[in-house]
Amino acid sequence: MILGFIMAVFSFAMDIFVDLFTEAHRWIYDLADSHVILQYLAWVAYSMFLMCFAAGFANIVSIQAAGSGIPETKTSLRGVMLQEYFTFKTLVSKFISLTCVLGSELPVGKEGPFVHVGSVCAALLSKFMSHFSSIYKNKARNEEMLTVGCAVGIGCCFAAPIGGALFSLEVTSMFFVARNYWRGFLSATFGAFIFRLLPVWNRQEDTLMALYATKYRLDFPFDLQELPIFAAMGIVCGFGGAFFVYLYGKISLFVKKQKATNSFLMKNCFLYSALVSVLISTLTFPLGFGQFMAGRLTQRDSLISFFDNRTWSNNGIVADFDNDDHLAAWKHPQANVFIILSVFVIMKFWMSALSITLPIPCGSFVPIFVIGAGFGRLIGEGLATLFPDGFNIDGHTYNIVPGAYAVIGAAALTAGVTHTISTGVIMMELTGQISYTLPILISVILANMVSQSLQPSIYDTVIRIKKLPYLPTLSWGHREKYNIYVEDFMKREVCYITLNSTYRDIIKILRSGNLKTLPLVKSAESMLLLGSVERAQLLALLTQRLQHLQEENASTMPVRYKVHFETSAKESASAHLESTKPLKSALKPSVDEEEITSVYDSGLNLKKFFCSRPDIEAMEDDPDAGDDTILQEIEEWEEQQLDEQMNFNSCKIDPAPFQLVEHTSLHKTHTMFSVLNLDYAYVTSIGRLVGVVSLKELRKAIEGCMPADGVRLRPVLSNFRDRGARGTRTETIELHQLLDHQIN
């Protein structure tokens, strides 16, 4: 409930500032009405200034604020926590930059970034509450709270709590934890309630109502003859959504290539953002080309006009409306409504695909909503022109409602881009329309069926382009094409420890890599897997051994050598710490990782302590130092301590680490990793450790050979070409074959 209240206040405050920016833009534009050139400069310069400020602020304060944030949240919920994306600095950068971007009237949305903002608030709130309740120190619970943040992010933007909870279920998780549903629903409901209550409190509205309330008739909402048209709209929107994702991918790859070559346009974030802003502002200039696409209207005003229950046209000519009406912007003396709407849909389509590639906080949800609504309005106005008398049912005439087609088109195109069904529910809550439930759901389902067969969702495409550590979805085509097993792509060179491992072996293994968990086998000959040991446990054992030796040396070592021994050990340890500098990484480690790294650094000094020798020159200068026999004894003692077997009695060992047999199929491996949120799994053959598989190997196995640019955009109709004969081949392996293989 606290999270819902915070997000509602954030959403309401952002809307207030965006309205102020928009009003200021219109005021400056109207102030320069004496000359067209001055109006053009005012129209373009205002948007460019806000855009450059947003790009600079986001890239200077926190570069993680750029983009939608949903792909990064989705990756973090998968198990690979991207800590830099959930900091207070990222929250401030996202909120301020997004406000300026929306104020510049670029065709981008608020909803995608607000999902990220909700997740950041959930992470920070959990961190704050951990000071009062220990339950919030649970890492798994805090990760589940990110799902709640996604739900409340949508709920506070559209006042759609049910759709927000379902959206978080569909987008962020492949397998949803049921206990998170009521948490997300509660938070989204409370947030949506506060979000709609604040305008009433601010006297902007009279009562609680839908954000884009409509007034369609309820007695006879649609005729059965319209259902095939709604279905056809869903299919067309499915193709349109797939093409939008394809176009966005191509533009993103081109931008990424230009950054790699350090081209002139990509040398800094300001230049590319400014050029795109100037281009789009020029095309939407109301006295220029913008008069053919209602360039003066904001995205909110466009949606209000599209959802209007009145019919715009009479044989293609927009009816006369008041000048202060949003519908007046769609009237042009030299073009009919079909040309205006067609130009609007085509121009906004590529403008939106271009805008969401900028290094700014931006989302694709609302622009796709607007484009889909424009397409639906175009279809509805066409049908109203073809059937001006509507439908005659039992002597009653029912006119066609073009606004309803806009509602269905918006839901279907958004579903085609995001691959979600919840967009239909969001649209019903957004408009308050329940009478069009079946047409909306039919079009949304058909759009999903078509788009999922052609392209991944917009969020999965971003994950592939950014090379985020997320496990891709294994489609039906992949199940039939990749008939491989875990032994075909596992890593066979496994770093392990045995029951006979010495302290020297442990120190060598800890130095060789940064694995957080190591497998424990019975012996190097048998390779029988007994369990797994965390790195922190091994470091704790080494620390205990160090303390034990210090206590033992204090009582057994001669005083004149003990001083030299301890002094040399401390000097070598401090020298090692001074020479060891932490590597810079894109992602800061978590608190636990920092603690482990600190212990690890101290663990590296154990060998220096064991192998450190007294100052030989000082002993030679000292007449009482003795002869070389003592030095030899000390060296032998050091080697003896390092070669002692490690005692695992006080070590916490996981006796049942997750294991896969070598003949586990790729599909089963993918399912297990997805359901259990695994990062790795050991591969065994009749109990023997033969390899290990991690997310990296599994991703390579699913995606196949990756191009140099790190992404493979699937061509149109690729799934239909990939699909061959149905059915999967099942292999049966007899037990004696496994035993023979084990013996060999």
Side-chain angles (χ1 to χ4, degrees):
M1 293 181 69
I2 296 176
L3 177 63
F5 179 81
I6 293 174
M7 290 298 298
V9 173
F10 279 177
S11 182
F12 180 73
M14 183 176 292
D15 289 344
I16 293 293
F17 283 112
V18 170
D19 290 340
L20 291 176
F21 280 132
T22 304
E23 291 176 3
H25 194 188
R26 297 296 184 273
W27 179 77
I28 296 175
Y29 172 78
D30 295 334
L31 196 65
D33 59 353
S34 59
H35 203 283
V36 176
I37 296 180
L38 291 179
Q39 283 186 306
Y40 170 75
L41 292 177
W43 183 267
V44 173
Y46 186 88
S47 298
M48 185 182 67
F49 172 76
L50 286 178
M51 181 60 58
C52 290
F53 175 81
F57 191 85
N59 283 267
I60 293 174
V61 177
S62 177
I63 188 62
Q64 287 76 21
S68 169
I70 292 181
E72 290 78 12
T73 304
K74 188 174 181 178
T75 303
S76 299
L77 286 170
R78 173 57 188 79
V80 184
M81 194 66 180
L82 306 179
Q83 294 289 346
E84 277 294 304
Y85 286 87
F86 302 97
T87 61
F88 181 76
K89 186 169 62 173
T90 302
L91 175 63
V92 174
S93 178
K94 195 96 175 181
F95 184 86
I96 296 178
S97 300
L98 179 60
T99 304
C100 295
V101 170
L102 297 177
S104 69
E105 301 185 49
L106 199 72
V108 296
K110 161 190 174 184
E111 282 63 27
F114 229 70
V115 169
H116 184 202
V117 171
S119 300
V120 176
C121 289
L124 295 177
L125 190 60
S126 297
K127 186 177 180 180
F128 174 75
M129 294 298 294
S130 64
H131 298 290
F132 305 97
S133 177
S134 60
I135 192 173
Y136 289 97
K137 296 181 180 180
N138 189 323
K139 181 181 177 182
R141 180 185 175 89
N142 292 342
E143 290 179 356
E144 292 176 358
M145 286 297 294
L146 297 182
T147 305
V148 179
C150 296
V152 74
I154 291 292
C156 289
C157 288
F158 290 126
I162 301 176
L166 294 177
F167 185 84
S168 67
L169 186 154
E170 289 186 282
V171 172
T172 61
S173 304
M174 184 175 298
F175 295 92
F176 193 76
V177 181
R179 62 176 175 270
N180 292 335
Y181 181 74
W182 76 268
R183 296 174 182 169
F185 184 71
L186 172 64
S187 184
T189 302
F190 190 75
F193 171 72
I194 298 297
F195 175 65
R196 298 306 296 152
L197 187 64
L198 288 175
V200 178
W201 171 77
N202 200 36
R203 298 186 178 180
Q204 295 176 341
E205 296 182 5
D206 297 330
T207 185
L208 300 179
M209 56 188 303
L211 197 60
Y212 294 93
T214 56
K215 300 177 182 179
Y216 306 147
R217 61 173 182 262
L218 301 177
D219 55 341
F220 192 85
F222 60 91
D223 189 75
L224 292 179
Q225 302 176 40
E226 297 180 85
L227 286 180
I229 302 175
F230 296 147
M233 286 179 59
I235 295 174
V236 173
C237 288
F239 282 103
F243 182 69
F244 182 88
V245 175
Y246 181 80
L247 180 62
Y248 164 76
K250 286 296 184 182
I251 297 175
S252 297
L253 291 179
F254 174 78
V255 172
K256 189 176 182 180
K257 183 178 180 181
Q258 297 301 313
K259 287 183 179 179
T261 57
N262 197 21
S263 64
F264 175 73
L265 289 177
M266 300 299 165
K267 284 187 177 180
N268 59 69
C269 61
F270 299 102
L271 187 58
Y272 177 50
S273 301
L275 288 178
V276 173
S277 177
V278 170
L279 174 63
I280 294 177
S281 298
T282 300
L283 293 174
T284 58
F285 180 55
L287 298 181
F289 189 76
Q291 60 186 320
F292 295 99
M293 50 185 296
R296 188 181 177 90
L297 297 183
T298 63
Q299 294 186 114
R300 176 178 173 81
D301 295 337
S302 298
L303 280 177
I304 292 175
S305 60
F306 287 147
F307 295 158
D308 196 282
N309 61 329
R310 292 172 288 179
T311 303
W312 293 2
S313 62
N314 181 14
N315 296 324
I317 302 174
V318 177
D320 291 329
F321 298 105
D322 296 334
N323 292 329
D324 58 347
D325 197 326
H326 297 312
L327 302 183
W330 300 97
K331 183 178 181 179
H332 193 275
Q334 300 176 357
N336 59 28
V337 65
F338 305 110
I339 295 178
I340 299 291
L341 287 173
S342 299
V343 171
F344 176 87
V345 170
I346 294 174
M347 296 299 292
K348 289 292 184 179
F349 194 89
W350 68 264
M351 285 181 181
S352 301
L354 176 64
S355 299
I356 59 179
T357 62
L358 295 175
I360 56 173
C362 55
S364 58
F365 209 97
V366 169
I368 298 301
F369 248 56
V370 175
I371 297 170
F375 170 73
R377 188 78 196 195
L378 177 62
I379 300 298
E381 292 292 341
L383 291 174
T385 303
L386 292 175
F387 305 98
D389 297 330
F391 301 100
N392 191 348
I393 307 297
D394 295 334
H396 298 280
T397 301
Y398 298 97
N399 295 324
I400 293 176
V401 183
Y405 287 80
V407 171
I408 294 171
L413 186 61
T414 309
V417 173
T418 60
H419 291 186
T420 57
I421 305 295
S422 57
T423 52
V425 182
I426 292 174
M427 181 56 66
M428 286 183 274
E429 293 182 279
L430 187 67
T431 59
Q433 277 298 323
I434 302 180
S435 56
Y436 284 89
T437 299
L438 285 179
I440 290 175
L441 293 180
I442 289 173
S443 61
V444 163
I445 291 173
L446 290 175
N448 262 287
M449 292 175 60
V450 174
S451 61
Q452 290 185 20
S453 301
L454 302 178
Q455 287 290 329
S457 70
I458 185 71
Y459 308 122
D460 291 336
T461 301
V462 175
I463 288 174
R464 293 185 182 185
I465 292 175
K466 290 186 176 182
K467 300 182 181 179
L468 297 176
Y470 184 80
L471 195 59
T473 303
L474 194 62
S475 65
W476 284 99
H478 284 90
R479 295 182 191 177
E480 298 172 1
K481 185 176 180 181
Y482 298 122
N483 191 15
I484 58 178
Y485 302 100
V486 71
E487 64 177 350
D488 299 322
F489 57 88
M490 68 181 182
K491 185 178 179 181
R492 298 184 180 274
E493 297 179 359
V494 185
C495 187
Y496 61 90
I497 58 177
T498 68
L499 292 177
N500 301 324
S501 294
T502 62
Y503 289 97
R504 188 193 304 276
D505 298 332
I506 298 300
I507 294 174
K508 183 179 179 181
I509 292 173
L510 293 178
R511 279 181 166 181
S512 61
N514 294 321
L515 295 175
K516 291 185 178 181
T517 307
L518 293 169
L520 176 64
V521 298
K522 185 176 182 180
S523 63
E525 293 77 16
S526 66
M527 291 299 293
L528 183 63
L529 183 63
L530 301 179
S532 62
V533 183
E534 292 186 358
R535 184 188 195 88
Q537 291 293 320
L538 296 176
L539 295 174
L541 288 179
L542 293 177
T543 304
Q544 293 176 6
R545 179 63 177 172
L546 173 61
Q547 296 174 354
H548 174 72
L549 290 176
Q550 287 177 340
E551 295 174 357
E552 182 180 351
N553 292 337
S555 59
T556 59
M557 181 175 288
V559 176
R560 56 179 179 175
Y561 303 122
K562 180 178 67 175
V563 175
H564 292 287
F565 188 88
E566 293 178 349
T567 303
S568 180
K570 292 179 180 179
E571 290 177 354
S572 62
S574 61
H576 175 77
L577 288 174
E578 291 177 359
S579 62
T580 304
K581 296 181 179 181
L583 297 176
K584 294 182 179 180
S585 61
L587 302 176
K588 288 185 179 180
S590 62
V591 177
D592 294 337
E593 291 175 348
E594 291 178 353
E595 293 176 354
I596 292 176
T597 304
S598 176
V599 179
Y600 174 53
D601 288 336
S602 64
L604 284 178
N605 296 321
L606 290 176
K607 185 175 180 181
K608 290 184 176 294
F609 175 82
F610 289 147
C611 299
S612 58
R613 299 172 60 183
D615 192 348
I616 299 177
E617 294 181 0
M619 293 184 68
E620 290 178 351
D621 295 338
D622 187 357
D624 298 331
D627 52 14
D628 295 338
T629 304
I630 298 178
L631 292 176
Q632 185 177 359
E633 291 178 356
I634 294 177
E635 187 171 348
E636 292 177 354
W637 178 85
E638 294 169 353
E639 296 296 327
Q640 180 182 0
Q641 298 303 318
L642 287 173
D643 291 333
E644 282 191 6
Q645 289 187 6
M646 199 164 187
N647 186 4
F648 292 98
N649 291 335
S650 60
C651 180
K652 294 180 180 179
I653 300 176
D654 181 8
F658 196 84
Q659 305 174 39
L660 299 172
V661 296
E662 54 186 347
H663 285 280
T664 304
S665 66
L666 175 63
H667 170 57
K668 289 183 179 180
T669 305
H670 175 272
T671 303
M672 293 176 183
F673 269 68
S674 300
V675 174
L676 301 176
N677 276 352
L678 298 178
D679 294 326
Y680 67 92
Y682 299 119
V683 183
T684 58
S685 175
I686 316 185
R688 292 183 58 186
L689 180 65
V690 295
V692 63
V693 59
S694 65
L695 282 174
K696 181 179 179 181
E697 287 79 27
L698 188 55
R699 287 180 60 200
K700 288 182 178 180
I702 295 174
E703 296 176 352
C705 298
M706 295 289 289
D709 53 20
V711 65
R712 178 177 58 195
L713 294 177
R714 307 184 67 202
V716 179
L717 299 180
S718 59
N719 261 25
F720 295 102
R721 292 199 299 267
D722 289 344
R723 290 176 181 175
R726 290 289 178 183
T728 56
R729 180 172 61 90
T730 304
E731 291 187 0
T732 302
I733 301 177
E734 297 181 1
L735 181 60
H736 68 83
Q737 293 179 347
L738 292 174
L739 295 175
D740 293 340
H741 176 70
Q742 178 71 14
I743 295 174
N744 295 331

